[in-house]
């Protein structure tokens, strides 16, 4: 692959890498015929992000004709190439990206002001294609808005907040902080923002629903959206099914696929029955709709999985689905998160405790340990389930 | 007896008296060489030279000419003493080191000779602080024998361009490799870190390049940890001269303009890390 990015597009490319760094630790780079794809998935595999830069985004673009070559590297390394986003526009005139599979070399060459030439040769690993399976079009609810609106909305939530719930009804959408346990709700601070349909460029509600997903990844996308000024589309339907945040432009397509909590853990859904009805009504004949996040996660592992394979995946019981998603988030998080990450985003359970009160009472602490143990146990059960699914 | 009267009385017994209306003209430049505690002060009628060393491989010198001081009186040809630089800087910025241009701290620095403390009188807004810092036995600085006649390659760059490179350097790399050559790549900084390698090339005809005198291709490696402190000097400076001699020793000279527009120099000498096969 050999491509050249010029002018303001260098910053767009750099921002996309910084945006991806908010989600995952590895950057998957794949030169495709229809453009350069940059992807990542978070450590708990509950969020997937993809930027596809079309050939016209580049001044010159050629993907290697011979074979599909793809690689991954630590996103930090790629970020180091574009360390300072603010000065980038002033200093960098053009950026050339070359991927030489024979020499195993990925080279970023930045041509800067005053003739300064910065060459970064990054080491990388071969990898499978990272590809989440999702279908925006099948989603019943579509909200499209200018990035500013969403940035201003998200601004009201504390940076420590991990999850946000979005509920839509006929004429309005409501964003609120997600509080984990029903029992703690009395103590927790609730922040809720309602936006009316007029604020959105598109407001299509096929099935009134309330979905809860991680705010961190959404912030990552908004960072890019704000910088590029492109409107953000939100595609979602029922809880437990992914929400897709999307930006499209003629030369660029961005999709963030985020897992949502499944229904049983949804304290915000008081009208649960109603929304379930909505889901059933809206469900298209496609088996894909009955699918759960697990199938997406499995599909992410490799692109070799035939898309038709989903048809035979039996939809697991909803609460198992919830348990697994939660368990993955907590248990894997505990193992894999580096110390600094731990500092920034404390353990999910603790987070909600902190919301409830500054210090948990001894009984809460006991509850907490018991709960996490339960969840961890369900994780191992579900691993077996995974096997059968595969 | 108040300290101030004591000093007023015995002004002529000091072998060194240096006064500054704005202490920042001294403290800023000392910050540019603060990477070890012990600093050797050497005063001559020409001015003050402050030397800090690390690992016998790195030496930094700050030169503050006599003209920078409002008063610079020296009774001997050469006066040397050693003090703890961190302590001295704490004293010099005892009033908080305000960056408001109108508010300046005035300094009167006095030294009585061997065995006496270094006495500082600092005044801001009518408030006077007197600091006495015990001096240490002066140690002879290393002579790097860096001689301009042995210089093989020399470039002078505007600091802005080098600052950008230094701020982006991959700190996971243990070394910084400097290549200077009469042909391409002319002047190159390279790092070899966890994520791969990176090269910064400055063409000889760049606007940022004020002087380019390279006679022979030289590639030398320097410990990143040793060169890191020099970024403090780079941050203050407006121009930097990079020179290497026939042994591969590196000299970095920074031209620093102070608050009053006067010029001072900071110099770093660094030993090469290892010999590299020349291309």
């Amino acid at each position: 692959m050999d491509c050249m990015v010029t002018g303001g597009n260098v910053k767009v490319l750099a921002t996309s890498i910084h945006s991806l760094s908010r989600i995952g630790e590895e950057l998957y780079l794949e030169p495709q015929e229809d453009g350069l794809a940059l992807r990542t998935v978070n450590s708990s595999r509950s969020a997937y992000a993809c930027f596809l830069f079309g050939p016209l985004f580049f001044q010159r673009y050629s993907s290697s004709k011979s074979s599909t070559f793809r690689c991954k590297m630590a996103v930090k390394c790629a970020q180091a190439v574009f360390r300072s986003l603010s000065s980038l526009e002033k200093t960098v005139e053009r950026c050339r990206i070359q991927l030489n599979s024979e020499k195993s070399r990925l080279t970023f060459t930045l041509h800067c002001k005053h003739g300064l030439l910065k060459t970064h040769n990054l080491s990388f690993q071969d990898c499978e294609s990272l590809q989440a399976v999702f279908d925006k079009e099948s989603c019943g609810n579509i909200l499209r808005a200018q990035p500013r609106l969403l940035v201003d909305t998200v601004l009201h939530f504390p940076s420590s907040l991990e999850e946000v719930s979005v509920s839509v009804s006929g004429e309005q959408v409501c964003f609120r902080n997600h509080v984990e346990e029903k029992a703690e709700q009395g103590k927790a601070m609730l922040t809720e923002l309602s936006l009316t349909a007029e604020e959105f460029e598109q407001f299509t509600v096929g099935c009134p629903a309330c979905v809860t997903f991680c705010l961190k990844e959404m912030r990552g996308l908004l960072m890019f959206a704000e910088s590029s000024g492109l409107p953000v589309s939100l595609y979602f339907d029922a809880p437990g099914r992914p929400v897709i945040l999307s930006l499209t432009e003629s030369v660029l397509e961005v999709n963030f696929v985020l897992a949502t909590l499944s229904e049983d853990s949804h304290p915000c859904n008081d009208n649960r029955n109603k929304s379930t009805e909505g889901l059933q009504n809206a469900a298209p004949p496609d088996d894909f709709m009955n699918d759960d996040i697990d199938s997406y996660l499995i599909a992410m592992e490799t692109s070799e999985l035939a898309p038709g394979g989903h048809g035979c995946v039996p939809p697991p019981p909803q609460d198992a689905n919830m348990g697994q998603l939660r368990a993955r988030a907590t248990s894997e998080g505990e193992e894999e998160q580096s110390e600094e990450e731990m500092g920034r985003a404390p353990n999910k359970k603790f987070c909600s405790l902190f919301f409830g009160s500054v210090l948990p009472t001894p009984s809460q602490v006991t509850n907490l340990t018991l709960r996490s143990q339960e969840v961890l146990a369900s994780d191992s059960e579900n691993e077996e389930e995974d096997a059968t699914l595969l | 007896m108040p300290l101030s009267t004591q000093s007023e009385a015995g002004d002529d017994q000091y072998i060194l008296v240096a006064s500054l209306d704005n202490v920042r003209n001294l403290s800023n430049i000392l910050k540019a060489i603060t990477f070890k505690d012990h600093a050797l002060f050497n005063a001559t009628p020409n001015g003050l030279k402050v030397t800090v060393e690390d690992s016998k491989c790195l030496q930094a010198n700050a030169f503050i000419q006599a003209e920078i001081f409002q008063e610079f009186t020296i009774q001997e040809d050469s006066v040397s003493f050693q003090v703890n630089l961190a302590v001295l800087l704490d004293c010099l910025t005892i009033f908080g080191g305000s960056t408001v241009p109108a508010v300046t701290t005035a300094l009167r620095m006095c030294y009585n000779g061997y065995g006496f403390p270094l006495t500082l009188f600092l005044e801001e807004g009518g408030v006077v602080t007197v600091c006495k810092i015990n001096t240490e036995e002066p140690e002879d600085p290393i002579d790097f024998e860096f001689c301009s006649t042995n210089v093989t390659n020399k470039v002078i760059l505007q600091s802005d361009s080098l600052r950008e490179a230094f701020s982006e350097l991959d700190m996971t790399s243990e070394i910084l490799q400097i290549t200077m050559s009469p042909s391409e790549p002319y002047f190159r900084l390279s790092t070899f870190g966890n994520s791969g390698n990176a090269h910064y090339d400055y063409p000889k005809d760049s606007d940022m390049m004020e002087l380019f005198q390279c006679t022979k291709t030289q590639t030398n490696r320097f410990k990143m940890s040793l060169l890191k402190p020099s970024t403090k000097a780079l941050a203050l400076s407006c121009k930097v001269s990079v020179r290497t001699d026939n042994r591969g020793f590196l000299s970095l000279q920074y031209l620093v303009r102070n608050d009053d527009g006067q010029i001072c120099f900071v110099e770093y000498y660094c030993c090469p890390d290892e010999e590299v096969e020349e291309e």
Side-chain angles (χ1 to χ4, degrees), chain A residues 192-309:
Chain A
E192 190 173 312
L193 280 113
S194 288
L195 302 171
T196 56
E198 294 105 67
E199 306 226 40
F200 291 84
E201 289 179 1
Q202 186 185 355
F203 195 90
T204 310
V205 178
C207 46
C210 176
V211 290
T212 301
F213 51 91
C214 281
L215 191 54
K216 184 184 150 209
E217 284 86 10
M218 183 176 177
R219 284 197 165 112
L221 176 99
L222 289 177
M223 173 204 149
F224 178 83
E226 202 186 10
S227 153
S228 63
L230 295 173
V232 181
S233 303
L234 242 88
Y235 297 84
F236 63 99
D237 39 22
R241 302 197 13 83
V243 57
I244 300 138
L245 296 156
S246 174
L247 300 178
T248 40
E249 217 254 330
S250 56
V251 294
L252 170 70
E253 186 179 344
V254 186
N255 287 304
F256 279 44
V257 183
L258 314 179
T260 64
L261 294 188
S262 73
E263 207 154 344
D264 284 16
S265 59
H266 250 276
C268 78
N269 234 353
D270 289 333
N271 51 351
R272 183 180 302 166
N273 294 331
K274 220 167 82 187
S275 81
T276 317
E277 270 171 33
L279 163 70
Q280 280 159 356
N281 293 342
D286 184 8
D287 278 325
F288 189 76
M289 280 300 282
N290 298 325
D291 218 333
D292 73 317
I293 187 68
D294 263 319
S295 329
Y296 298 101
L297 296 170
I298 294 159
M300 272 189 201
E301 307 277 351
T302 165
S303 64
E304 263 72 75
L305 190 76

Side-chain angles (χ1 to χ4, degrees), chain A residues 147-163:
Chain A
R148 196 71 249 167
L149 179 72
L150 296 170
V151 169
D152 288 345
T153 304
V154 166
L155 210 63
H156 293 280
F157 296 109
S159 51
S160 58
L161 179 68
E162 293 200 19
E163 288 139 350

Side-chain angles (χ1 to χ4, degrees), chain B residues 4-17:
Chain B
S4 55
T5 23
Q6 183 188 32
S7 66
E8 298 284 334
D11 227 22
D12 19 319
Q13 77 193 40
Y14 289 124
I15 58 167
L16 174 72
V17 178

Side-chain angles (χ1 to χ4, degrees), chain B residues 211-230:
Chain B
L211 181 85
F212 185 86
Q213 280 176 356
C214 292
T215 55
K216 193 172 162 244
T217 300
Q218 256 186 320
T219 301
N220 292 110
R221 296 177 163 212
F222 303 93
K223 278 237 180 330
M224 189 69 96
S225 56
L226 287 175
L227 285 185
K228 189 85 223 297
S230 72

Side-chain angles (χ1 to χ4, degrees), chain B residues 21 30 42 45 153 244:
Chain B
D21 289 345
L30 291 183
N42 178 249
N153 295 314
T244 49

Side-chain angles (χ1 to χ4, degrees), chain A residues 64-86:
Chain A
S64 49
K65 287 146 238 137
S66 55
S67 63
T68 46
F69 185 81
R70 40 183 101 85
C71 63
K72 67 173 180 181
M73 70 210 80
V75 69
K76 268 191 216 155
C77 303
Q79 233 183 325
V81 177
F82 306 103
R83 195 153 289 175
S84 158
L85 278 181
S86 51

